[in-house]
Amino acid sequence: MPNARASHLTRRGLLAAGGALGLGAALTACGGESKSDSSADAKSGPWEFKDDRGQTAKAKSTPKNIVAFTGAAAALHDFGIEVKAVFGPTYVEDKAKGTKTPDVQAGDLDIDKVKVLGNVWGEFNVEQYAATAPELLVTDMWEKDALWYVPDQSRDKILKLAPSVALWASDLSMPKVLQRHVELAESLGADVKGKKVTDAKAAFEKAAARLRAAAKAKPEIKVLVGSASADLFYISAPERPTDTLYFKELGVNFVTPAKLDQGGWFESLSWENVDKYKADVIMMDNRASAIQPDALKSKPTWAQLPAVKAGQVVPRVTEPIYSYEKCTPILNDLAEAIENAKKVA
């Protein structure tokens, strides 16, 4: 398992960090909301965009051959911008059946129409990347200056082939991260002021109001964010992931673990101690890298948790796709879970 640059966390640690789990491991906080420096017209003439590293990507014209981390590609797709190739979790393969189905991080991407340069951590085919004649590389950033799913060993080769844009996927509240994706999409030619996007934004804001109201009506409901592996159960602190940070701002009452990893992301518990924290609702990492609730029935300590016995376990989208239409259901689903929850802890 490769270690995360600078943070020295294992891949599981990284994946467990994104919110209890999830991703980005010991990311450095990025501070205030940054704004696009794109002053070029998206349809003609020079193009530039200042990313969240503070670096400005430039091109003689608006990039068309775009290669992106799968989740970023899915977000751009929702804004009307298509990519040529992707890297990162894109499909789940059933080797017995010989089938591939889209990974949750692929969103509405047609995985048969994009070139997949790598589907797992550490996998990125540089030769195939070069063959796409890339004009822009787009990815997330969970740690300052670290490009998500761009392998360290081939990073320099990759970055020489095309300009790159990295957008924060941590330490900023969800609306701010969404806005940065809107700005990037607009610079690439998306009609972000059109009815499709403005309606999607209005639906997002309506869902946020619903979640705020649900949290206010039931402040006693305690929500735990978790992720399961064979040997450990990860409980996420809500302050760093973009989603839970926003939910907390909206008033959701989260369990905050006491003994966090050095990056301040999560606490890992043995399955014998999985009942350390009391919760009424459990949000579980929905990614293919995590064990899903149905597969945990054989673990007695899991089955005895009050939230599990009450059927108050819901999926958690650990790596959101940052478009309004993909983030809106996340808000509505949590609001519904809290609205229907009973105090059981």
Side-chain angles (χ1 to χ4, degrees):
M1 292 184 183
N3 289 337
R5 252 175 10 96
S7 65
H8 305 295
L9 291 181
T10 64
R11 174 181 176 276
R12 163 47 70 176
L14 278 170
L15 294 178
L21 15 238
L23 266 249
L27 304 349
T28 303
C30 73
E33 180 180 0
S34 57
K35 295 184 178 179
S36 169
D37 234 11
S38 176
S39 57
D41 183 271
K43 296 180 181 179
S44 63
W47 173 90
E48 64 179 45
F49 185 87
K50 187 174 182 180
D51 74 358
D52 291 348
R53 294 171 296 179
Q55 297 183 14
T56 300
K58 297 181 180 181
K60 293 181 179 180
S61 60
T62 304
K64 299 300 181 185
N65 283 358
I66 303 169
V67 177
F69 169 67
T70 303
L76 288 173
H77 169 83
D78 287 351
F79 289 116
I81 303 297
E82 302 299 338
V83 306
K84 192 168 186 179
V86 297
F87 55 94
T90 307
Y91 59 83
V92 177
E93 187 173 11
D94 187 329
K95 293 184 178 180
K97 295 181 180 179
T99 59
K100 293 180 180 178
T101 56
D103 187 274
V104 293
Q105 296 183 63
D108 292 332
L109 287 177
D110 186 337
I111 64 172
D112 295 323
K113 291 185 178 180
V114 292
K115 183 70 176 177
V116 181
L117 304 177
N119 193 55
V120 297
W121 183 268
E123 184 178 270
F124 191 117
N125 192 310
V126 182
E127 290 72 24
Q128 291 181 3
Y129 174 59
T132 67
E135 296 174 331
L136 179 66
L137 177 81
V138 180
T139 191
D140 292 345
M141 182 170 63
W142 291 79
E143 178 183 357
K144 180 64 175 176
D145 296 330
L147 304 186
W148 193 235
Y149 273 83
V150 175
D152 285 345
Q153 62 270 28
S154 53
R155 173 189 170 106
D156 291 343
K157 291 181 180 179
I158 293 168
L159 294 184
K160 287 179 181 178
L161 294 173
S164 61
V165 165
L167 298 181
W168 277 111
S170 67
D171 297 320
L172 289 180
S173 183
M174 181 180 278
K176 295 180 180 180
V177 178
L178 274 166
Q179 180 58 32
R180 290 296 284 146
H181 284 74
V182 170
E183 292 167 3
L184 175 61
E186 183 176 29
S187 81
L188 294 171
D191 180 11
V192 300
K193 296 179 176 63
K195 188 176 188 302
K196 181 178 183 293
V197 176
T198 56
D199 283 356
K201 184 177 181 180
F204 174 82
E205 292 170 346
K206 182 178 179 181
R210 178 185 177 185
L211 179 55
R212 186 189 300 275
K216 184 177 181 180
K218 291 189 173 181
E220 74 281 4
I221 296 298
K222 201 82 170 177
V223 179
L224 181 148
V225 183
S227 183
S229 70
D231 300 318
L232 295 172
F233 184 68
Y234 299 88
I235 299 178
S236 177
E239 289 81 11
R240 302 205 67 186
T242 66
D243 59 336
T244 53
L245 174 57
Y246 186 44
F247 304 158
K248 186 175 180 180
E249 290 173 357
L250 292 174
V252 176
N253 183 9
F254 281 107
V255 169
T256 299
K259 296 182 179 180
L260 299 177
D261 66 296
Q262 73 175 48
W265 283 90
F266 62 89
E267 179 176 353
S268 56
L269 300 174
S270 67
W271 283 103
E272 290 76 13
N273 296 314
V274 74
D275 61 350
K276 179 177 179 180
Y277 298 101
K278 306 303 180 184
D280 304 292
V281 173
I282 299 177
M283 300 177 69
M284 289 292 286
D285 187 350
N286 74 332
R287 292 168 304 156
S289 58
I291 298 177
Q292 298 304 302
D294 285 348
L296 296 174
K297 295 177 181 178
S298 62
K299 295 186 179 294
T301 51
W302 167 259
Q304 292 303 311
L305 293 176
V308 175
K309 294 171 71 174
Q312 295 179 173
V313 177
V314 297
R316 185 272 178 114
V317 181
T318 306
E319 292 186 59
I321 293 170
Y322 291 107
S323 69
Y324 291 116
E325 61 189 87
K326 291 298 185 298
C327 289
T328 296
I330 296 174
L331 295 171
N332 278 323
D333 289 348
L334 181 55
E336 182 178 7
I338 294 175
E339 288 164 355
N340 296 331
K342 297 179 181 179
K343 185 67 180 174
V344 295

